[in-house]
Amino acid sequence: MSTGLLETRRLVARYGSVEVLHGIDLSISPGEIVVLLGPNGAGKTTLLRAISRVVATRGAITLAGVSIGGWSGARTARAGIGHVPEGRGTFPDLTVEENLRLGGLARPKGRRSTTREDLAQVYATFPVLADMRRRAAGLLSGGQQQMLAIGRALMARPQLLLIDEPSLGLAPMVTQQLFEVLAGIRGEWSTSLLLAEQNARLSLRIADRAVVLAGGRVTAAGPTADFRDGDVIRRAYLGEA
Ligand code: ATP
């Protein structure tokens, strides 16, 4: 295997007896933004779950050269893989700051920054969260909740942040603002990003590379410049690429 931050080779995942991912080869370099595109049911969510070890797999999966195939989700999180699931998963009755502090619990041992510094950095990335730090998370708008979910994952200082459908249910303007922030996160937080996203247009604008899944297989992959022609994406979605 090469020396990417994350590598999967012939990764297979199943729910019960139904195989959903049929041998995925994926590689993510440090600091890279990769977008996973593909229609409903293509396996994008499952691939993110497989990487964060919520779903068991066969095949090889390594983080910084270390095999993580036998690891639990908790161990994977402590090793630097953050996961923002579809639907966000924040605690509605806790305040914004309490939610963020919970995210800090997954930080690796030997971290250099303090919780206070990490909170300040999240508030610098998402100033609206600072204004709402004492408000119950359930009272935030959809866009603010997505920011909170991402901020909470950042509190663990991940090397790789997996974000599932960040644009889901958000107005176009809010989605655009969110993607602008996402583009800056890799530099500010020294992290790689893997986004699963149906909004191809916006995500291709901020990503370095795109990987298209259809029917649990990679149907196309390459630098985002190769995907700017809508036809390429359409063919890849249909599994004809
Ligand atoms: P979406 O955008 O709809 O979330 P996706 O590309 O993320 O699509 P997945 O959610 O990974 O796709 O689903 C891949 C396949 O696995 C689909 O056929 C789906 O029906 C199936 N699947 C997903 N979750 C489960 C589950 N918990 N049990 C059984 N089958 C599942």
Side-chain angles (χ1 to χ4, degrees):
M1 280 201 179
S2 71
T3 54
L5 175 63
L6 182 98
E7 303 272 348
T8 75
R9 288 291 174 268
R10 293 189 286 280
L11 197 73
V12 171
R14 55 179 78 232
Y15 293 110
S17 60
V18 181
E19 190 175 292
V20 171
L21 298 180
H22 309 295
I24 304 287
D25 289 353
L26 178 74
S27 161
I28 301 174
S29 302
E32 203 177 23
I33 301 182
V34 178
V35 60
L36 272 180
L37 300 172
N40 281 333
K44 304 181 298 295
T45 295
T46 305
L47 181 53
L48 298 192
R49 287 185 183 150
I51 293 170
S52 64
R53 310 311 303 151
V54 182
V55 166
T57 53
R58 283 191 291 111
I61 176 163
T62 60
L63 178 68
V66 176
S67 173
I68 62 170
W71 289 15
S72 67
R75 186 173 177 194
T76 309
R78 278 195 308 277
I81 296 185
H83 190 168
V84 181
E86 196 175 315
R88 291 139 204 175
T90 51
F91 295 101
D93 297 333
L94 298 184
T95 66
V96 164
E97 188 149 312
E98 285 165 346
N99 269 281
L100 291 173
R101 284 180 182 278
L102 282 177
L105 297 179
R107 283 191 305 175
K109 288 204 177 90
R111 63 195 179 238
R112 270 176 242 138
S113 56
T114 63
T115 302
R116 184 191 288 256
E117 286 166 345
D118 292 343
L119 275 172
Q121 195 172 338
V122 169
Y123 291 144
T125 301
F126 298 111
V128 69
L129 296 182
D131 298 338
M132 308 214 161
R133 70 214 306 163
R134 295 205 172 75
R135 190 166 299 185
L139 297 177
L140 303 188
S141 71
Q144 291 161 350
Q145 290 196 22
Q146 185 61 268
M147 292 176 202
L148 177 58
I150 295 167
R152 190 175 65 169
L154 288 171
M155 288 291 292
R157 300 225 158 244
Q159 303 178 67
L160 170 63
L161 186 55
L162 315 172
I163 311 182
D164 201 352
E165 297 280 352
S167 74
L168 194 74
L170 304 186
M173 183 74 118
V174 178
T175 303
Q176 191 160 338
Q177 288 164 354
L178 181 69
F179 273 64
E180 278 164 22
V181 177
L182 288 180
I185 277 180
R186 67 163 136 195
E188 289 166 27
W189 291 85
S190 308
T191 185
S192 304
L193 293 178
L194 177 61
L195 307 175
E197 189 45 74
Q198 303 236 10
N199 188 330
R201 191 180 55 80
L202 261 184
S203 47
L204 286 172
R205 216 184 282 163
I206 68 162
D208 303 305
R209 276 192 307 117
V211 174
V212 183
L213 286 186
R217 290 190 167 79
V218 175
T219 53
T224 43
D226 295 355
F227 290 84
R228 300 256 154 82
D229 171 5
D231 237 28
V232 177
I233 297 185
R234 193 180 53 76
R235 284 201 307 275
Y237 267 46
L238 297 173
E240 298 166 0

